[in-house]
Amino acid sequence: SGFRVTGVEQDGETHDALKAGRPHFHEVGLETLLCHHLGKNLRIETDLPQDAEVYVVAVGTPIGDDGAPDILNISAISEEIGKRLTYGDLVVIRSTVPVGTCRNVVLPRLQAGSGLQCGRDFHFSFAPERTVEGKALEELRSLPQIVGGYDANSVDLTANLFRELTTSIITVD
């Protein structure tokens, strides 16, 4: 949709496959899109870029042996983003996380790492990914995108971002 995107993948094998235009999961049409955009408006890196303005977080939150979601990945990436966050940036959580994770895990790490205040210095929202593997590209454009955020500005910025992908946005407090 015209955005310059940096995909961050730290697993060496997956990173190399993506850089070669080979997705590591099944998604109709993904390989063609990946090959088309690589080296143009899409790059695959192992580290977060220094010049990002928008961070869209979609990390795994697997269910552990105890039946509880493992939020180590979301916690770690929140700390990394916090170190790079600058005035005016937007952080969007797409990962499926338990209630309270954004407020009690992500936000404190973003603020501590950056020294910035959410709502004043940067924006923060939650737009959960709700797609079925194999149909995600289609559903991203057809399913309503639900957007909630720290404040009205965060919600508006995120809704405007997703309007570039779909016309169906549902905003929530």
Side-chain angles (χ1 to χ4, degrees):
S1 294
F3 297 108
R4 287 182 330 173
V5 175
T6 301
V8 177
E9 177 55 62
Q10 294 180 337
D11 177 79
E13 189 175 315
T14 303
H15 173 268
D16 293 346
L18 289 170
K19 283 193 80 132
R22 294 186 316 272
H24 57 290
F25 56 88
H26 171 70
E27 183 61 47
V28 175
L30 181 58
E31 187 169 352
T32 301
L33 280 173
L34 186 59
C35 289
H36 176 76
H37 291 288
L38 271 171
K40 297 174 189 155
N41 56 349
L42 173 65
R43 63 185 190 193
I44 307 296
E45 304 292 342
T46 55
D47 294 310
L48 291 173
Q50 295 292 333
D51 60 347
E53 296 173 356
V54 177
Y55 298 86
V56 179
V57 178
V59 297
T61 52
I63 302 298
D65 293 338
D66 61 356
D70 179 345
I71 60 169
L72 288 176
N73 292 333
I74 196 86
S75 179
I77 194 62
S78 299
E79 289 178 11
E80 286 300 310
I81 291 171
K83 294 174 188 174
R84 288 176 172 76
L85 207 56
T86 60
Y87 185 83
D89 287 353
L90 170 64
V91 179
V92 182
I93 303 299
R94 293 285 283 171
S95 299
T96 302
V97 295
V99 172
T101 302
C102 289
R103 182 181 311 110
N104 300 321
V105 176
V106 178
L107 188 56
R109 284 163 176 75
L110 294 174
Q111 292 183 140
S114 66
L116 301 174
Q117 180 65 41
C118 186
R120 183 189 72 200
D121 303 320
F122 71 94
H123 310 282
F124 180 56
S125 65
F126 181 62
E129 185 179 77
R130 306 173 310 110
T131 55
V132 174
E133 187 173 321
K135 293 186 174 213
L137 292 173
E138 172 191 337
E139 290 180 347
L140 183 60
R141 295 200 180 273
S142 64
L143 289 179
Q145 296 298 307
I146 299 169
V147 177
Y150 182 83
D151 58 12
N153 286 335
S154 297
V155 172
D156 289 345
L157 285 170
T158 306
N160 288 335
L161 174 72
F162 280 96
R163 277 191 192 93
E164 297 296 322
L165 305 172
T166 184
T167 58
S168 186
I169 309 284
I170 298 171
T171 60
V172 296
D173 291 342

